[in-house]
Amino acid sequence: MPSNISLSPTAAILTLGCKVNQYESEAMAEALVKAGFTVCSPHEVCNVYIVNSCTVTAESDRKSRQAVRRLIKQNPDAVVVVTGCSVETGAKLMADISGVHAVVGNREKMKAVSYALEFYHNGKPETAVVDIPSLQNSEFELMTITRFDRTRAYVKIQDGCESKCAYCTIPAARGRERSKPLNEVIAEVTCLTKGGCREVVLTGIETGAWGKDLGKEYTLASLLRAVAQIPGVGRIRLGSLDPTVITEEFADTVAALSCVAPHFHLSMQSGCSATLARMRRKYNVKQAERAMERLRTRLPSVKFTTDIITGFPGETEEEFAETLDFVRRAEFLHIHAFPYSKRAGTPAAAMREQIPEDIKRARVHALNAVSSETCDRLLRKALDTHTPLSVLFETYHPETGLYHGHTPDFMEVATEADQDLRGREVLVIPEAVDNGQLICKPACENHP
């Protein structure tokens, strides 16, 4: 056991998966700090490890279990607690890993911290505690954060999903749709803004479903209007959206609010209506294109990014060609393409015409090629205008001497500077395009 264990308790949280998990991990980290722990990197030897797992694909489950084993090997004497979606769908697999002391479900995720503290102070159990209450009729678990990195904070406004897509296990792992109360969202964003946060990302498992359980007057558009009234609020960015969320009211709202970033991540999954129907998605390609056009009409600078699944059961070469045609027309700034993952118990797992892995991978490669071409074209349009761009800088890469950040419409920018730009919004002039980013110079020597 490391000699400093009794003197300085340390903890680390390893987060896999989505922005919601990242937010929940930050809330757990703050609770650990309040309990007297120093929160460290998961690469360090610590007294306590919490793994916030993911189950979106079979590979995510595998990586979650692999991460748990790696941390146990890193410090066999540590308290190890596992929570998150992979626990909800495979509790026994996690609990049976030697060295795991508790597995905690998503209904009361902050219990992961409670168990970690209990076992650290009072001793570890001989067998893993399994605490996974039913998600049926669960309420939104209130948690808040006050800390953030130098630029951005994720704020979880919604949990759960009721879409029942044919390929997905997330409804079973997250439960019914439920929303964070409006006053709690406003209080949290206000606190972060007062603390100097420059960009807040409002996110959820089904972000666009916010308010459905609160009353007819509560919609994502009404939430954005309320958040925009917070004094001093910076950029507001949204998590992944279903295209059906982009109604006329929504488009009018975001166009009228200068603080809402003109970038939207659409959870498309396919660009073929026949494939979307088999996936049991709630829209077709024409509906998605109309949604995008609503925003482009009002916000000419708007950019879109998306997720696409390749090789869904029954996806023919013709159907995939339709997807390629769609993504070219849509001009997505970035595409997250990934192969279909067969999940036991889902309707898609029992479908005929399962696609071979090599074909799935080839289709991912084809989508990535289109994505790179489109991104390069959009960046060159920005370069050719010679128009100054407002960039919120986030990181510094000492190996290149470049600061990196994003424009409001999510173009990646890199620049040299003689001052630390992290956490600052600076006007820059595009000078070149390189590897999916704009190379820029500050618009003036005296940065704001």
Side-chain angles (χ1 to χ4, degrees):
M1 182 177 294
S3 60
N4 68 340
I5 280 183
S6 62
L7 300 175
S8 178
T10 56
I13 301 175
L14 193 153
T15 308
L16 298 102
C18 65
K19 293 178 175 65
V20 171
N21 265 10
Q22 292 178 46
Y23 170 87
E24 292 165 342
S25 290
E26 183 55 45
M28 288 188 278
E30 289 199 24
L32 287 165
V33 170
K34 289 179 182 177
F37 280 73
T38 298
V39 175
C40 304
S41 163
H43 299 294
E44 298 182 44
V45 174
C46 294
N47 306 102
V48 167
Y49 293 116
I50 295 176
V51 177
N52 196 356
S53 65
C54 176
T55 191
V56 71
T57 65
E59 179 68 6
S60 301
D61 280 326
R62 188 192 68 80
K63 286 183 177 180
S64 294
R65 294 190 294 271
Q66 183 183 57
V68 171
R69 293 188 178 96
R70 184 173 66 250
L71 294 176
I72 293 169
K73 184 177 180 181
Q74 190 166 284
N75 183 10
D77 295 317
V79 172
V80 178
V81 179
V82 188
T83 186
C85 294
S86 193
V87 163
E88 287 284 348
T89 59
K92 189 175 187 303
L93 288 173
M94 285 295 187
D96 286 347
I97 297 174
S98 178
V100 170
H101 303 108
V103 292
V104 179
N106 280 330
R107 180 165 182 152
E108 296 174 299
K109 207 162 193 174
M110 292 301 289
K111 276 189 174 182
V113 175
S114 300
Y115 281 116
L117 296 177
E118 177 186 342
F119 299 155
Y120 173 75
H121 291 296
N122 301 322
K124 299 171 234 178
E126 292 185 5
T127 59
V129 172
V130 178
D131 189 348
I132 307 181
S134 171
L135 287 165
Q136 187 175 4
N137 299 321
S138 55
E139 300 297 325
F140 188 92
E141 182 181 10
L142 286 178
M143 55 180 80
T144 60
I145 63 168
T146 60
R147 302 189 314 171
F148 53 93
D149 64 20
R150 298 185 68 166
T151 307
R152 170 185 297 114
Y154 296 112
V155 173
K156 175 184 167 184
I157 64 169
Q158 187 275 342
D159 205 343
C161 180
E162 298 170 14
S163 293
K164 297 182 181 178
C165 297
Y167 53 82
C168 191
T169 60
I170 295 303
R174 283 285 179 171
R176 69 179 184 91
E177 293 171 351
R178 50 209 189 273
S179 306
K180 189 167 195 170
L182 176 62
N183 64 320
E184 296 285 346
V185 177
I186 297 303
E188 188 166 17
V189 176
T190 299
C191 176
L192 292 166
T193 298
K194 287 181 177 178
C197 184
R198 303 298 299 273
E199 179 175 301
V200 171
V201 182
L202 304 179
T203 191
I205 299 300
E206 191 75 20
T207 308
W210 183 88
K212 285 184 178 180
D213 55 327
L214 300 179
K216 290 183 179 180
E217 68 272 29
Y218 295 99
T219 64
L220 185 59
S222 70
L223 175 65
L224 290 173
R225 289 192 290 268
V227 172
Q229 295 177 26
I230 295 172
V233 71
R235 285 185 195 167
I236 302 298
R237 205 177 290 278
L238 290 169
S240 180
L241 296 178
D242 185 304
T244 59
V245 173
I246 304 174
T247 61
E248 296 290 343
E249 180 206 8
F250 179 85
D252 287 340
T253 296
V254 298
L257 301 175
S258 59
C259 60
V260 176
H263 158 246
F264 300 91
H265 185 87
L266 301 185
S267 183
M268 281 298 306
Q269 311 307 349
S270 176
C272 169
S273 293
T275 306
L276 288 168
R278 287 199 306 280
M279 289 178 168
R280 301 184 185 176
R281 299 296 284 175
K282 295 180 287 187
Y283 50 87
N284 57 35
V285 169
K286 285 186 178 179
Q287 290 170 316
E289 288 181 320
R290 283 198 294 267
M292 297 172 75
E293 187 59 27
R294 288 186 188 113
L295 289 171
R296 284 186 163 132
T297 298
R298 295 163 173 84
L299 294 167
S301 67
V302 70
K303 301 290 189 302
F304 296 97
T305 52
T306 195
D307 302 310
I308 299 288
I309 298 171
T310 67
F312 186 77
E315 184 186 59
T316 64
E317 289 295 338
E318 292 76 17
E319 289 182 347
F320 181 65
E322 288 186 34
T323 290
L324 287 176
D325 287 343
F326 166 73
V327 298
R328 289 190 183 101
R329 293 195 307 272
E331 290 198 305
F332 291 107
L333 181 62
H334 295 293
I335 300 171
H336 175 214
F338 56 101
Y340 163 72
S341 178
K342 189 175 182 180
R343 311 313 314 278
T346 61
M351 289 180 179
R352 296 180 180 180
E353 300 180 52
Q354 298 286 327
I355 307 300
E357 292 300 321
D358 60 335
I359 294 178
K360 295 179 191 177
R361 290 193 295 270
R363 291 176 182 176
V364 167
H365 180 76
L367 277 168
N368 286 340
V370 172
S371 179
S372 295
E373 291 170 6
T374 306
C375 179
D376 186 77
R377 184 166 60 253
L378 292 173
L379 295 180
R380 291 192 182 281
K381 282 184 181 179
L383 175 67
D384 292 342
T385 65
H386 304 292
T387 302
L389 302 172
S390 176
V391 177
L392 186 55
F393 284 96
E394 301 143 16
T395 58
Y396 175 66
H397 295 199
E399 67 277 11
T400 61
L402 296 174
Y403 291 91
H404 289 254
H406 288 87
T407 61
D409 55 352
F410 211 58
M411 291 187 293
E412 186 174 349
V413 168
T415 190
E416 291 182 335
D418 54 9
Q419 302 178 39
D420 189 349
L421 299 183
R422 289 172 292 181
R424 300 170 65 184
E425 194 161 8
V426 176
L427 282 177
V428 298
I429 304 294
E431 291 192 310
V433 173
D434 179 55
N435 196 29
Q437 62 188 1
L438 281 169
I439 306 300
C440 299
K441 65 178 181 180
C444 60
E445 293 184 1
N446 297 317
H447 311 308

